[in-house]
Amino acid sequence: MTQNRKIIHIDMDAFFASVEQRDNPELRGKAIAVGFDGERGVVSTASYEARRFGVHSAMPIATAKRRCPDLIIVPVRHGYYEEVSHEIRKIFQEYTDLIEPLSIDEAFLDVTENKKDIPLAKDIAIAIKEEIKEKLHLTASAGVSYNKFLAKIASDYQKPDGLFVIHPDRALDFLSDLPVEDFWGVGPKTLQLMHRMGIYTGGQLRKVSRSHLREVFGKSGDIFYNFARGIDDRPVVTERVRKSVGCEQTFLEDISIPSKVIIELYHTVLELVDRIHGDGFEGHTLTLKIKYGDFTQITRSISGNKVLRRKDDILPLAKQLLHQVSYDANHPIRLLGLSVSNPNPQEDNDEPQWYEGWLDFE
């Protein structure tokens, strides 16, 4: 275990909502949600004032309004948020070039060797937070530790505008009392399995043998075994290889008539082909995602040796996957999505990618 690294995780606080409140004084201190204000709109980001009412990202706008009758809905401005994110990145680059973005509003920084020769990572995190607040009038939360796993947990620990350090000497004690649902990547289904095993805290997880964790969770068992011991030796990766290209469509009304579903599938294939050409992506696996009117979700995938880049390659496979899906008037489709992945099928790529819920099982 490498404990001499200095890793910072920076997470912008309610990023989209905070940008909107910064730019519009009339929104400050009020409950707002950024998203599409329509029947099928969902919340992209909620301000902390709205979160007090239980409003959160990915929640249907209609539900958010019921929970918070005075909620103000603000349209999404993705291009503008990208510009602000670029300004934040410039601040990071004043301290290190080892930056691994996770999304538009969060990133890892390896400051073991930093451009300003600041000895303590905590002081670098403080400086970055202060510079973001001074230059951009936004707040960020920072986590500091000796690896990415712990730094990520630390950044979530005292939000908003927080700073938390997990020192190597205190990591095991900290993890012992930490609920397993707070472990980065543990989603609802994984949590349910752990609870069935009597695992509720990191300390209890640490008592389970590696072999038993492998038996229950497969290769992810090794990851859980290491996490419980504060082990994560992966470096901060400055350039991430794109793993997939996809698109999806939420319908204004649920659909169940086969001809309508085929038409929407066709349009989704055309959009996917455009994105593939725009990104120059080459993948070998096609995945169909279906979300039903009751918000349950399934995926179906098919792989081959042929690169999927043209409509004539993708549409037949998409139809084949659709035939594996059942739907009717009592179980209509709310959302349909397609993605192409698996750029290097010959590679045995066991390295997990760090996204929320990546350990959760289908």
Side-chain angles (χ1 to χ4, degrees):
M1 177 168 52
T2 305
Q3 293 191 348
N4 59 354
R5 291 193 298 163
K6 300 173 185 177
I7 307 298
I8 300 173
H9 179 260
I10 299 288
D11 193 0
M12 300 303 297
D13 298 321
F15 182 48
F16 295 178
S18 295
V19 170
E20 297 298 342
Q21 289 179 318
R22 178 197 69 177
D23 292 355
N24 186 349
E26 294 182 359
L27 298 177
R28 294 173 192 169
K30 295 182 179 179
I32 74 167
V34 178
F36 170 63
D37 191 6
E39 183 180 352
R40 293 305 179 95
V42 296
V43 176
S44 291
T45 308
S47 67
Y48 283 96
E49 295 84 355
R51 295 182 189 191
R52 298 190 189 106
F53 292 87
V55 178
H56 56 77
S57 60
M59 173 181 286
I61 290 289
T63 303
K65 287 181 175 180
R66 286 196 296 270
R67 292 192 178 185
C68 181
D70 295 327
L71 186 68
I72 300 171
I73 310 299
V74 181
V76 181
R77 297 188 288 167
H78 282 296
Y80 182 59
Y81 306 142
E82 289 279 1
E83 293 176 9
V84 178
S85 179
H86 183 66
E87 294 302 312
I88 296 168
R89 177 77 69 87
K90 287 182 179 178
I91 293 174
F92 296 162
Q93 290 170 339
E94 296 175 13
Y95 298 86
T96 180
D97 291 325
L98 295 178
I99 302 166
E100 179 180 346
L102 286 182
S103 65
I104 191 173
D105 61 350
E106 61 176 321
F108 287 115
L109 287 70
D110 188 330
V111 296
T112 308
E113 297 180 5
N114 61 87
K115 295 179 179 180
K116 299 193 177 185
D117 294 324
I118 300 174
L120 295 180
K122 178 181 178 180
D123 291 338
I124 297 174
I126 291 172
I128 289 173
K129 280 167 50 66
E130 289 178 348
E131 196 165 346
I132 290 173
K133 187 177 293 186
E134 179 182 344
K135 291 183 176 179
L136 303 177
H137 307 289
L138 297 168
T139 64
S141 293
V144 179
S145 197
Y146 59 89
N147 63 39
K148 294 197 289 187
F149 167 59
L150 290 169
K152 169 67 169 146
I153 290 177
S155 69
D156 290 334
Y157 206 66
Q158 292 183 341
K159 291 178 75 68
D161 199 15
L163 172 63
F164 192 74
V165 179
I166 301 178
H167 190 274
D169 294 342
R170 297 190 294 271
L172 291 183
D173 289 339
F174 176 85
L175 289 171
S176 291
D177 297 328
L178 190 71
V180 288
E181 57 263 37
D182 290 344
F183 275 52
W184 185 24
V186 176
K189 295 177 184 178
T190 303
L191 180 64
Q192 190 176 36
L193 280 172
M194 287 191 173
H195 283 179
R196 282 193 211 139
M197 298 168 64
I199 302 171
Y200 291 85
T201 66
Q204 292 170 329
L205 178 61
R206 198 180 305 146
K207 293 178 181 178
V208 183
S209 68
R210 184 191 293 269
S211 60
H212 188 42
L213 289 174
R214 282 178 177 170
E215 181 182 347
V216 177
F217 299 105
K219 293 178 182 178
S220 295
D222 287 319
I223 298 171
F224 288 128
Y225 183 87
N226 287 333
F227 279 1
R229 289 157 178 76
I231 299 171
D232 175 19
D233 292 331
R234 284 169 295 183
V236 169
V237 180
T238 56
E239 293 185 8
R240 183 178 297 280
V241 177
R242 184 154 197 174
K243 299 295 182 180
S244 66
V245 172
C247 56
E248 59 186 38
Q249 175 65 40
T250 299
F251 308 119
L252 292 176
E253 295 181 359
D254 295 344
I255 60 176
S256 60
I257 299 173
S259 60
K260 288 187 177 181
V261 176
I262 288 293
I263 290 172
E264 295 298 342
L265 182 72
Y266 179 81
H267 289 310
T268 306
V269 168
L270 294 182
E271 182 179 351
L272 178 61
V273 169
D274 284 342
R275 295 194 179 196
I276 290 171
H277 289 168
D279 292 333
F281 184 80
E282 295 186 348
H284 299 76
T285 298
L286 181 69
T287 299
L288 171 69
K289 172 183 174 182
I290 296 289
K291 183 180 290 185
Y292 294 104
D294 60 2
F295 289 90
T296 58
Q297 180 177 301
I298 64 170
T299 59
R300 297 288 183 267
S301 298
I302 188 170
S303 298
N305 294 323
K306 189 175 184 179
V307 173
L308 301 176
R309 61 165 67 93
R310 300 184 304 117
K311 181 195 73 174
D312 292 342
D313 299 326
I314 296 173
L315 184 58
L317 296 179
K319 290 180 178 179
Q320 184 177 334
L321 293 174
L322 185 62
H323 286 319
Q324 301 176 21
V325 175
S326 61
Y327 58 90
D328 54 37
N330 296 320
H331 200 41
I333 296 174
R334 172 187 176 88
L335 174 149
L336 186 150
L338 286 170
S339 64
V340 169
S341 59
N342 194 17
N344 299 300
Q346 73 279 6
E347 293 182 3
D348 182 15
N349 184 13
D350 293 333
E351 185 74 8
Q353 298 301 305
W354 287 79
Y355 301 104
E356 286 300 328
W358 63 264
L359 288 179
D360 210 18
F361 297 96
E362 289 288 345

